[in-house]
Amino acid sequence: MQKNRFRFNLRRYWANDRINYSIRVLIALVGVALPCWHLGLTTEITPLVLGIIAAALAETDDNLTGRIKGLAMTLTCFLIASFSIEILFDTPLFFAIGLFVSTFGFIMLGAIGARYASIAFASLLLAVYTMLGADTSPNLWYQPVILLAGAAWYGSLSLLWHIFWPNQPVQQSLARVFTEFSRYLDSKSKLFEPVSNLVPQPLRIEAAQKNAQVVAALNSAKATLLHRARRGHPNATGDRFLKIYFLAQDIHERASSSHYRYQDLAATFQRSDVLFRFQRLLTSQANECRAVSHALAMGKPYQHSVESIRALDELQESLIHLKSQNNPEWRSYLIQLDYLFNNLATVERQLSNVSNPDAAPTDPDIELADTEARGAKEMWKRVISQFKPDSMLFRHALRMAIALTVGYGCIQFLELERGYWILLTTLFVCQPNYSATRQKLVQRVIGTLGGLLVGIPLLYLFPGQEGQLVLMVLAGVLFFAFRTVQYGLATAFITLLVLFCFNQLGEGFAVILPRLGDTLLGCLLAVLAVSFILPDWQANRLHTVMASAIKTNCDYLAQIIGQYRIGKKDSLNYRIARRNAHNTDAQLSTAISNMLAEPGRYRMCTDESFRFLTLNHAMLSYISALGAHRTRLEDEHTHQLVAQSHRLIHAHLDCLAEQLSSNQVIPTPVIDTEIEQRLAQWRDEDCTSGRMVLQQLHLIHRMLPELHSLANKLAARTNKKAVKAVKSNS
């Protein structure tokens, strides 16, 4: 029994991508520590270990050919970065100029794609590592060669790992999607509390935040699949995973949809168990998503449980019981519950098809949108397009270049022997926005202090080289295990690794106090840079993010309405519009969260921003419901009313997007009450597909006046000219 349990836990940990990442680092570190210990190469251990760390941070997922090209590019960038440091180290003026130019240039490479951003960051990191040992380097080529040897060793190990387990990243990325689905469904279930005074806004905000995590996981899974495709077309090996990805997209559209106002349903059925049944079904489906995630991660077939099916059957029986009471006041609400039931029944069916994705109906258009730059010309265009002051990447590159150059100036002015830790700290802490920088700063200081406090007694307890090598390897592995989930702990472990590395050179205790002081100074430079060098306060760009969210919702709605004329088709254009709408909704949620972490004087319109986020997410949910029920409408009269209503909504959304983009107060457009009345009348007609379309359009139409009002309030508070205009009009 215990043996089987151990085997189960071992397989579970093996399926975790962070554990796999850490195992590779463990093998790489042991692979250099043991030979160096055996051969007595004490001074070579530190640069080899630092080369492994830099290469591991530069690693990104790709197919075998892409990984080989990526490794070659990484080693080339590492070589340029390391040799340039060695060449310019003794000429401070040229060194400062080179540091500024190379920092700016490397970070701007991130415009090409995530892979290049990772390589650029790791190259800067390796440059700082070269600075740390430049004083003791016996010649020009000594450090670059050893650092590159460590990086090449890890890169070769990573390639070998990929050859043996090529589909592991795909399985893990899809597993993360279903893990995030489970959290999102748990969040959505809270909206089905049968209480008369239900306030949905906080629950909507929570759902929007969880949805942002689902969107991030879907984007990551798509990128992983694209790396194994040619120009967006998957190969035969990845076809099954692609079908599961499309199933996940369909589940996301259905799970994120809303068919009615939750507070109205709660008030109507507060004495019934039907909403509890919906809540139980959502909770059961969340548990099924966790089971799917576990099965995908371990490469095992997924077995759909009877619990979720039983919850669906009991919900259906509850609905039948309510209908049998023939309460005329419930008639319109029961129709809404039917829509919701059918939607969740489809989700249940899709979940049961995960183990056999071929059984699910799929669209012949299975191309993925390939957004990666192809060719040097396209890459150069992407970099050049970011050379503008309103580009976040340009701001971050300039900010980082100035901060590192100023840090180098502090090292020269104060004559700090080990002052290059200032640059290392600034490189890790300085992020593209204030919120992320502050979070990193706190974690970095706490982690460094904790690492030093733990490291001092460990140096006394393990004075021998063998014990310290073991601890060094463990610290390196734990750094990568916690780097993306607990950065404070990761900082503590990397601090321990640095102590043990320098102790191999006889300087373990000598770096303790300088390490702490340099960390504090590096954090200070990072905060000053992000606060005063082209600061990117979220309140100043919030209206632009809101405009993008409205515009993508409008495009998504247009794609859906067109399919009610021609029939359902999951075309590439439709899927792009759907993904863009969810991406901008996630960006809006993130921007508001980041704004709350900024100093109070830079926050604006907090209540209005949260209300706008609630309405935008609700609108996206109403549109998603239309997308979930796409079908061809046969009645021409219905088509005319749908088209007329959509034209009106489209005009309002275009006006709203333009208003938010320009951040100006404008008179609120007149709402067509006749259309609203016609839509409301249709809500009382028989349950048909056409009725559902008009109902959702009516829900969107009702939101327009408040959205226009919020846009005016936001503009009035963030634009001085707008404030004067409001006062003069009043």
Side-chain angles (χ1 to χ4, degrees):
M1 179 74 176
Q2 290 182 351
K3 184 178 180 181
N4 290 337
R5 184 179 300 173
F6 172 77
R7 186 181 303 163
F8 174 81
N9 288 335
L10 185 63
R11 291 189 67 182
R12 182 177 180 181
Y13 285 125
W14 183 257
N16 187 296
D17 57 340
R18 287 191 297 113
I19 300 300
N20 284 316
Y21 193 20
S22 302
I23 290 173
R24 290 198 296 275
V25 174
L26 172 63
I27 296 172
L29 291 175
V30 171
V32 299
L34 283 178
C36 287
W37 168 76
H38 180 70
L39 298 173
L41 303 175
T42 305
T43 57
E44 283 76 12
I45 293 177
T46 297
L48 283 171
V49 168
L50 295 179
I52 289 171
I53 292 173
L57 290 173
E59 183 184 16
T60 54
D61 178 59
D62 208 334
N63 56 29
L64 183 60
T65 304
R67 282 177 178 267
I68 293 173
K69 291 179 180 178
L71 178 59
M73 190 184 308
T74 299
L75 294 178
T76 302
C77 290
F78 282 8
L79 185 67
I80 294 171
S82 187
F83 264 115
S84 62
I85 295 298
E86 292 284 357
I87 293 170
L88 300 174
F89 191 76
D90 294 326
T91 54
L93 178 60
F94 290 107
F95 187 95
I97 296 172
L99 179 62
F100 181 91
V101 173
S102 60
T103 301
F104 182 82
F106 271 128
I107 294 179
M108 289 301 294
L109 285 178
I112 303 174
R115 177 198 300 173
Y116 295 87
S118 298
I119 293 174
F121 175 82
S123 300
L124 290 173
L125 181 63
L126 192 91
V128 178
Y129 285 160
T130 307
M131 297 176 201
L132 293 172
D135 280 332
T136 58
S137 181
N139 51 55
L140 179 67
W141 54 265
Y142 176 78
Q143 270 208 122
V145 167
I146 298 181
L147 285 167
L148 259 69
W153 159 235
Y154 179 83
S156 302
L157 182 64
S158 179
L159 287 176
L160 190 63
W161 191 283
H162 178 78
I163 291 171
F164 281 107
W165 297 284
N167 292 322
Q168 204 171 56
V170 184
Q171 294 171 222
Q172 291 162 353
S173 63
L174 288 173
R176 280 195 297 273
V177 169
F178 283 93
T179 297
E180 296 302 336
F181 271 155
S182 67
R183 295 168 182 165
Y184 181 58
L185 289 173
D186 281 333
S187 176
K188 288 277 286 190
S189 69
K190 297 177 183 177
L191 288 161
F192 289 88
E193 292 288 345
V195 292
S196 58
N197 58 345
L198 178 69
V199 180
Q201 179 163 332
L203 301 176
R204 285 275 194 191
I205 292 172
E206 180 185 346
Q209 293 168 344
K210 298 295 183 185
N211 184 60
Q213 295 169 4
V214 174
V215 170
L218 281 167
N219 288 339
S220 176
K222 175 193 164 188
T224 305
L225 287 165
L226 267 174
H227 291 152
R228 286 153 179 80
R230 288 174 175 257
R231 295 285 184 174
H233 294 280
N235 53 31
T237 306
D239 187 57
R240 176 177 175 272
F241 294 120
L242 183 66
K243 289 179 179 178
I244 294 175
Y245 172 74
F246 285 145
L247 275 178
Q249 281 194 319
D250 188 73
I251 292 172
H252 182 220
E253 184 171 55
R254 294 180 180 280
S256 61
S257 63
S258 295
H259 296 76
Y260 209 65
R261 286 158 48 96
Y262 293 105
Q263 58 268 42
D264 293 345
L265 295 175
T268 303
F269 297 106
Q270 59 180 308
R271 298 292 180 262
S272 170
D273 71 340
V274 68
L275 293 187
F276 279 124
R277 299 289 184 187
F278 275 108
Q279 192 176 68
R280 180 169 176 262
L281 177 58
L282 283 168
T283 304
S284 299
Q285 290 179 343
N287 292 332
E288 291 304 309
C289 286
R290 293 185 185 94
V292 171
S293 174
H294 182 70
L296 283 170
M298 294 203 304
K300 295 173 61 179
Y302 161 68
Q303 298 294 329
H304 196 63
S305 73
V306 297
E307 179 186 352
S308 189
I309 298 173
R310 188 182 300 117
L312 186 68
D313 292 340
E314 290 174 351
L315 172 58
Q316 188 175 30
E317 291 173 3
S318 181
L319 285 171
I320 292 172
H321 175 70
L322 287 176
K323 292 175 183 177
S324 67
Q325 299 182 36
N326 295 320
N327 188 334
E329 296 180 359
W330 291 354
R331 182 173 175 273
S332 61
Y333 296 104
L334 285 172
I335 293 173
Q336 316 310 320
L337 295 184
D338 275 338
Y339 289 140
L340 183 56
F341 172 81
N342 292 332
N343 196 41
L344 293 180
T346 305
V347 170
E348 187 72 18
R349 188 164 55 252
Q350 298 285 48
L351 285 172
S352 66
N353 284 331
V354 168
S355 58
N356 185 22
D358 294 328
T362 56
D363 197 280
D365 185 0
I366 60 171
E367 183 181 0
L368 290 171
D370 189 359
T371 57
E372 289 193 6
R374 305 286 181 180
K377 186 176 181 181
E378 186 178 349
M379 292 178 182
W380 178 247
K381 283 183 178 180
R382 288 198 180 188
V383 173
I384 291 297
S385 68
Q386 295 296 317
F387 275 81
K388 50 187 179 182
D390 59 343
S391 166
M392 292 179 63
L393 183 65
F394 177 84
R395 290 169 176 242
H396 179 56
L398 188 62
R399 199 181 294 141
M400 185 72 82
I402 293 174
L404 292 182
T405 306
V406 171
Y408 176 71
C410 292
I411 295 169
Q412 295 298 315
F413 180 76
L414 299 175
E415 298 182 353
L416 300 174
E417 184 180 358
R418 294 291 178 191
Y420 297 101
W421 292 113
I422 297 172
L423 305 185
L424 190 66
T425 301
T426 303
L427 182 63
F428 273 104
V429 172
C430 190
Q431 300 294 308
N433 60 70
Y434 180 90
S435 172
T437 300
R438 193 180 78 166
Q439 185 179 10
K440 287 276 188 180
L441 182 148
V442 174
Q443 294 172 337
R444 187 83 183 179
V445 171
I446 294 175
T448 301
L449 186 59
L452 292 175
L453 291 175
V454 173
I456 293 172
L458 286 178
L459 287 175
Y460 282 108
L461 291 172
F462 299 93
Q465 185 188 28
E466 293 81 0
Q468 289 185 17
L469 284 176
V470 172
L471 291 174
M472 182 179 70
V473 170
L474 288 176
V477 171
L478 291 172
F479 165 70
F480 283 97
F482 289 100
R483 186 174 64 92
T484 57
V485 290
Q486 289 286 343
Y487 185 72
L489 272 176
T491 302
F493 289 122
I494 199 66
T495 300
L496 287 173
L497 180 128
V498 168
L499 283 177
F500 296 135
C501 280
F502 276 88
N503 199 60
Q504 302 300 308
L505 305 175
E507 301 180 6
F509 291 99
V511 301
I512 292 176
L513 288 179
R515 166 80 165 149
L516 182 59
D518 293 345
T519 297
L520 295 175
L521 184 53
C523 288
L524 177 62
L525 286 175
V527 172
L528 291 176
V530 81
S531 300
F532 297 104
I533 303 174
L534 295 178
D536 193 25
W537 305 116
Q538 297 299 310
N540 295 337
R541 58 184 294 269
L542 204 56
H543 62 93
T544 305
V545 182
M546 291 176 174
S548 297
I550 293 295
K551 182 68 173 64
T552 52
N553 277 348
C554 184
D555 295 340
Y556 182 24
L557 179 61
Q559 285 285 334
I560 291 171
I561 295 300
Q563 296 198 19
Y564 276 96
R565 168 67 74 175
I566 63 174
K568 180 178 179 180
K569 182 176 175 60
D570 285 333
S571 63
L572 180 61
N573 289 335
Y574 173 79
R575 286 185 275 113
I576 289 174
R578 178 174 61 188
R579 186 57 42 217
N580 287 342
H582 282 283
N583 281 338
T584 52
D585 182 67
Q587 290 164 11
L588 179 58
S589 176
T590 302
I592 294 174
S593 298
N594 289 341
M595 183 181 70
L596 294 179
E598 295 173 351
R601 63 182 179 276
Y602 296 114
R603 301 179 203 166
M604 288 186 182
C605 312
T606 302
D607 293 337
E608 289 83 356
S609 298
F610 271 120
R611 181 58 182 163
F612 192 95
L613 173 63
T614 304
L615 291 176
N616 183 76
H617 189 69
M619 182 193 298
L620 179 56
S621 298
Y622 296 146
I623 296 172
S624 295
L626 286 168
H629 296 281
R630 279 170 294 150
T631 186
R632 182 176 179 178
L633 297 178
E634 302 295 340
D635 184 66
E636 188 60 32
H637 180 268
T638 304
H639 272 304
Q640 291 178 1
L641 185 53
V642 167
Q644 187 178 1
S645 305
H646 174 246
R647 281 195 298 270
L648 178 65
I649 292 173
H650 194 283
H652 276 280
L653 293 180
D654 276 344
C655 176
L656 190 60
E658 185 177 351
Q659 177 187 359
L660 287 165
S661 182
S662 61
N663 200 28
Q664 296 292 326
V665 175
I666 64 172
T668 302
V670 178
I671 301 296
D672 192 332
T673 55
E674 180 184 353
I675 287 290
E676 184 170 0
Q677 289 174 0
R678 291 178 66 188
L679 291 174
Q681 289 171 359
W682 269 85
R683 291 175 60 239
D684 294 327
E685 295 295 327
D686 294 334
C687 179
T688 62
S689 297
R691 179 190 179 285
M692 193 280 302
V693 177
L694 295 171
Q695 167 194 295
Q696 298 302 111
L697 292 175
H698 179 253
L699 290 171
I700 297 170
H701 192 268
R702 290 173 61 177
M703 304 168 67
L704 297 176
E706 187 175 1
L707 284 169
H708 283 296
S709 176
L710 283 172
N712 279 332
K713 288 180 181 178
L714 289 164
R717 293 194 182 185
T718 57
N719 192 319
K720 293 182 180 180
K721 293 182 180 179
V723 172
K724 293 180 181 179
V726 170
K727 289 182 178 179
S728 62
N729 291 335
S730 59

